[in-house]
Amino acid sequence: MTKYAPTKKFTFGLWTVGNTGADPFGDSVRKKKSPVELVHLLAEVGAYGVNFHDNDLVPIDATPAERDQIVSDFKKALKETGLVVPMATTNLFASPIFKDGAFTANDPKVRAYALQKTMNAIDLGVECGAKIYVFWGGREGTESDATKDPVTAIKRNREAMNFLTEYVIDQGYDLRFALEAKPNEPRGNIYNATTGNMLAFIETLDHPEMVGVNPEVAHEHMAGLNFTHHVAQALEAGKLWHIDLNDQAFGRYDQDFRFGMVNLKSAFFLVKLLEDYNYEGPLHYDAHAMRTEDYEGVKDFARGCMRTYMILKEKAEMFNADPEIQALLAEINAEDPEMDAFFGPYSREKAIALKNHGFDRCGIAKRGLKYERLDQLTNEIILGVR
Ligand code: GLT
Ligand code: MN
Ligand code: MN
């Protein structure tokens, strides 16, 4: 097998490699490909799986007969290529009916339609083998807070999640939900703006055990936040069930660049975290090729996403095996037996002993931590000179 071959569960949405390059200022630059063609393209570049929104596969106005034909063609392509569908989701943002949101829209007809559309989309996803169902509430927000009460919005969102988890249980589906946060775009402000917000929201649901998160690199970066820390919180809580990898310059428009294209060092720490903690879920590239590319460029984009991950995985292994780095880490993290008595579960005796202990505050603060050396060594691993 060639070096850096894509051996992980790398997946792409139909909407990612199928993106035709239109933006708010310009038309499509690539001819639209069918789902079947995209499955074959993904097989060619070595992907493991493909994800979709209901309407990436079945147009919103398809007849039941058309739907069945499309699904059967798609399944045939999966069978031919060996690709799987680990995740599916609902398009609750493109149709004008969702201009004021879906589950949080002020119009009850819109909220009810959003539930109906999602139940149908869940059926479609499960039929194609999906085990994870993503919820990205791109339109769940406001441009002006005069228009919607934010507490009411939280309650509407919760009611929708509770209804849909019950639907999944009622159908006997083997399906878990993953909630994806984003701070803005396409709404001026989107509710539950970060992965941390989502983790808190999940604990208020009727079935928190069925709901985890799907963090996306670009979405935390858009808010100027450290993505790796958000992923760590989800991992530690046992809630990292899916992840959207891409890249994004801080403070810019929603860019959806190839993984590692802008912030290589953040990408390194992310891959290291996922590998160190044995994340085994899908690694989904929610990104698209630059508008300058034809479909050969789309393949370069997809191969690049996966290859960068595999290279950074190797770099993380080098970091973990580097004697100088490991010696520095051991020194930094050295325990002090004298302090052991103060940690662990609370007791009144412990509290009294700790209050009476004398600390050499200035002496302790004098110690240099050698983080400059450690970070430079990290850079040299990433730069390939170590
Ligand atoms: C859309 C969005 C993504 C979400 C997708 C799932 S759709 O492309 O930008 O971040 O993950 O609905
Ligand atoms: Mn995005
Ligand atoms: Mn995403």
Side-chain angles (χ1 to χ4, degrees):
M1 183 162 291
T2 49
K3 213 175 173 199
Y4 310 125
T7 51
K8 308 271 305 177
K9 286 183 190 156
F10 292 130
T11 63
F12 292 81
L14 283 180
W15 70 93
T16 65
V17 283
N19 180 288
T20 58
D23 69 16
F25 302 93
D27 300 337
S28 292
V29 294
R30 293 182 283 269
K31 207 170 143 275
K32 196 169 161 47
K33 281 195 187 291
S34 71
V36 167
E37 289 173 312
L38 292 170
V39 168
H40 285 281
L41 183 152
L42 286 174
E44 188 186 332
V45 298
Y48 163 84
V50 57
N51 308 314
F52 57 80
H53 297 89
D54 49 355
N55 304 136
D56 299 334
L57 187 58
V58 182
I60 196 162
D61 46 10
T63 64
E66 284 165 348
R67 175 208 188 270
D68 291 349
Q69 187 59 52
I70 292 168
V71 173
S72 124
D73 293 346
F74 182 66
K75 281 187 176 166
K76 195 167 147 252
L78 293 176
K79 210 164 175 195
E80 278 165 14
T81 56
L83 259 72
V84 293
V85 175
M87 175 275 260
T89 182
T90 326
N91 188 323
L92 295 171
F93 46 89
S95 169
I97 192 174
F98 299 125
K99 63 190 178 191
D100 182 38
F103 303 138
T104 63
N106 281 331
D107 184 340
K109 282 200 178 65
V110 176
R111 299 202 297 276
Y113 174 72
L115 284 175
Q116 181 201 64
K117 190 174 196 286
T118 304
M119 286 189 290
N120 288 331
I122 286 176
D123 296 345
L124 175 66
V126 169
E127 186 181 342
C128 294
K131 296 273 186 288
I132 297 280
Y133 205 82
V134 163
F135 288 85
W136 171 67
R139 298 271 178 205
E140 313 290 12
T142 59
E143 281 69 45
S144 162
D145 287 335
T147 64
K148 214 178 283 179
D149 175 56
V151 170
T152 303
I154 295 168
K155 291 187 191 305
R156 287 175 182 163
N157 216 344
R158 178 181 301 122
E159 200 177 295
M161 287 301 129
N162 288 343
F163 187 91
L164 292 166
T165 45
E166 290 295 349
Y167 176 73
V168 166
I169 294 167
D170 193 28
Q171 299 300 306
Y173 290 155
D174 174 18
L175 190 70
R176 295 185 299 168
F177 292 176
L179 311 188
E180 178 177 347
K182 190 179 185 187
N184 53 270
E185 284 190 64
R187 292 313 293 267
N189 307 278
I190 300 178
Y191 298 123
N192 278 333
T194 70
T195 300
N197 290 75
M198 286 299 185
L199 288 168
F201 174 67
I202 289 168
E203 295 309 312
T204 71
L205 300 176
D206 286 351
H207 289 287
E209 76 287 355
M210 288 174 67
V211 188
V213 290
N214 177 41
E216 173 171 320
V217 178
H219 295 180
E220 251 82 30
H221 283 190
M222 283 175 75
L225 300 172
N226 183 316
F227 183 66
T228 303
H229 292 188
H230 282 76
V231 172
Q233 189 177 359
L235 252 179
E236 204 272 337
K239 291 291 188 190
L240 186 70
W241 298 350
H242 201 269
I243 191 164
D244 279 1
L245 302 176
N246 57 9
D247 210 356
Q248 163 83 35
F250 284 66
R252 297 288 170 91
Y253 66 98
D254 184 7
Q255 296 179 309
D256 282 341
F257 284 149
R258 190 180 76 255
F259 181 58
M261 181 166 146
V262 183
N263 300 291
L264 254 191
K265 195 167 176 185
S266 313
F268 166 77
F269 287 122
L270 175 65
V271 171
K272 183 174 177 306
L273 179 83
L274 295 173
E275 294 296 319
D276 284 352
Y277 286 90
N278 298 312
Y279 168 74
E280 278 175 352
L283 295 157
H284 172 230
Y285 293 103
D286 189 3
H288 50 76
M290 288 183 264
R291 203 162 173 267
T292 48
E293 304 308 292
D294 59 10
Y295 276 101
E296 282 313 305
V298 172
K299 289 182 212 166
D300 288 337
F301 147 82
R303 288 194 183 101
C305 280
M306 298 185 284
R307 191 172 158 83
T308 295
Y309 187 102
M310 297 306 294
I311 295 169
L312 292 176
K313 176 176 178 295
E314 184 186 77
K315 301 284 181 193
E317 284 157 14
M318 287 168 74
F319 180 101
N320 290 339
D322 189 294
E324 191 177 350
I325 289 178
Q326 291 312 310
L328 282 169
L329 286 174
E331 195 182 323
I332 290 162
N333 288 293
E335 289 300 330
D336 181 342
E338 209 200 327
M339 294 295 111
D340 286 352
F342 300 139
F343 295 123
Y346 177 85
S347 74
R348 187 170 294 172
E349 297 67 45
K350 214 181 255 182
I352 292 167
L354 182 50
K355 275 177 127 179
N356 290 331
H357 187 81
F359 286 96
D360 174 13
R361 182 170 50 83
C362 298
I364 295 167
K366 272 193 191 129
R367 180 181 158 215
L369 296 181
K370 303 185 185 155
Y371 289 2
E372 283 291 353
R373 177 78 189 140
L374 179 57
D375 184 72
Q376 178 63 22
L377 291 172
T378 308
N379 277 359
E380 294 191 11
I381 290 217
I382 298 170
L383 293 168
V385 295
R386 221 173 139 74

